[in-house]
Amino acid sequence: MKQFVAKTLDDAINSALKELNIEKEELIYEVVEEKKGLFTKKVVIATYDIADVIEYAQEYIETIVKKSLNIDISLQAFYRNSLIKILIETDRNSLLIGKNGATLQALNELTKLAVSSKFKRKFRILLDIGDYKDKKYSRVISLAKKAAKEVLKTHVDIKLDPMTPDERKKVHNALSTWKNLKTESIGDGKDRAIVVKYIGKNTPTTNIKFDKTQENKENKE
């Protein structure tokens, strides 16, 4: 951690950028002191690196899990391609994951909010327990590919079940190279879902629901 002092926040940030030789979007900082008096103006910022961000995220996770759920956990963090991935190990996996991953997703969102609030910028953070997220990604991508094949065959749009933002991103990426198809997110909040669309010319389309019932029927056939 390094501190920079100036009369204004912009001046402090510019000093940090110049000394650290980085772009503004790369700067990780926290305002630790600010005075706006009639005769005195002073702003102090503390700058951090990604290791500080990861440490703070881990401390936050440990605190909230122990205080809220009284569960002991151990954490392992990785940083690659601008993504902070934190693996949680515990003997209470099902409780921390929650129904359909709801508890894990909520903890993930709270951690991102806490980190962005402290360091004044957004970070890509992914929490996982027992490879739950990786397995979930495989399932939703498999569903999306089945839907994509059906759309190419029938030229009828298919709306997938609602997904979390990270799951939608995986699906968008997985289908991005498919010819004559495009994916589009619709809806808000927990209801936000992906529609797989046929983009051939002069072809009328209609949305239909592609859910687990349909998946099970296809598997039996």
Side-chain angles (χ1 to χ4, degrees):
M1 181 181 72
K2 185 166 182 148
Q3 293 191 342
F4 294 86
V5 183
K7 289 185 177 181
T8 68
L9 178 60
D10 285 342
D11 288 342
I13 290 174
N14 288 332
S15 295
L17 296 178
K18 184 176 180 180
E19 183 167 328
L20 299 174
N21 192 29
I22 59 176
E23 299 296 326
K24 188 173 182 178
E25 57 269 18
E26 300 177 90
L27 181 66
I28 306 171
Y29 74 94
E30 176 189 15
V31 178
V32 295
E33 184 181 351
E34 187 170 12
K35 294 181 180 179
K36 293 183 179 180
L38 184 61
F39 301 104
T40 304
K41 291 183 179 180
K42 178 183 178 183
V43 175
V44 181
I45 65 171
T47 60
Y48 302 89
D49 59 28
I50 197 64
D52 298 311
V53 177
I54 293 173
E55 182 180 4
Y56 179 81
Q58 289 178 303
E59 289 176 352
Y60 178 83
I61 294 167
E62 288 177 343
T63 299
I64 195 171
V65 170
K66 287 181 178 179
K67 281 188 176 181
S68 302
L69 302 173
N70 195 28
I71 296 176
D72 289 326
I73 60 173
S74 61
L75 304 173
Q76 190 175 10
F78 303 89
Y79 182 69
R80 185 179 180 183
N81 297 328
S82 300
L83 173 68
I84 299 172
K85 185 173 183 178
I86 300 177
L87 304 181
I88 303 174
E89 294 183 7
T90 175
D91 57 2
R92 306 290 298 278
N93 283 1
S94 59
L95 182 59
L96 269 185
I97 292 172
K99 185 177 180 180
N100 296 323
T103 303
L104 179 60
Q105 183 64 27
L107 180 60
N108 205 140
E109 292 304 314
L110 287 172
T111 302
K112 289 199 295 185
L113 286 172
V115 170
S116 64
S117 176
K118 179 173 178 60
F119 297 104
K120 304 300 182 293
R121 56 173 288 192
K122 292 183 179 181
F123 293 88
R124 292 175 59 217
I125 299 175
L126 177 66
L127 308 188
D128 200 2
I129 300 174
D131 291 328
Y132 172 82
K133 292 301 294 186
D134 287 336
K135 292 175 182 176
K136 186 68 179 295
Y137 291 151
S138 295
R139 287 197 296 272
V140 297
I141 289 173
S142 178
L143 278 171
K145 287 181 176 180
K146 287 180 181 179
K149 291 177 182 177
E150 187 68 17
V151 171
L152 287 175
K153 180 180 178 181
T154 65
H155 298 179
V156 176
D157 297 350
I158 291 178
K159 180 182 177 183
L160 303 174
D161 284 336
M163 301 177 192
T164 59
D166 54 307
E167 292 165 3
R168 292 196 303 272
K169 183 175 181 180
K170 290 290 185 179
V171 170
H172 285 306
N173 290 339
L175 299 183
S176 63
T177 59
W178 285 50
K179 293 182 179 180
N180 300 319
L181 289 180
K182 74 172 184 177
T183 55
E184 180 181 323
S185 292
I186 63 171
D188 299 307
K190 293 181 179 180
D191 295 324
R192 193 159 177 80
I194 287 178
V195 177
V196 183
K197 295 186 173 184
Y198 181 75
I199 55 175
K201 295 181 179 180
N202 302 319
T203 304
T205 60
T206 306
N207 285 342
I208 64 173
K209 185 68 173 177
F210 184 82
D211 55 21
K212 293 181 180 178
T213 302
Q214 184 175 340
E215 177 194 11
N216 291 336
K217 182 179 179 181
E218 290 180 356
N219 289 336
K220 290 179 181 179
E221 294 177 1

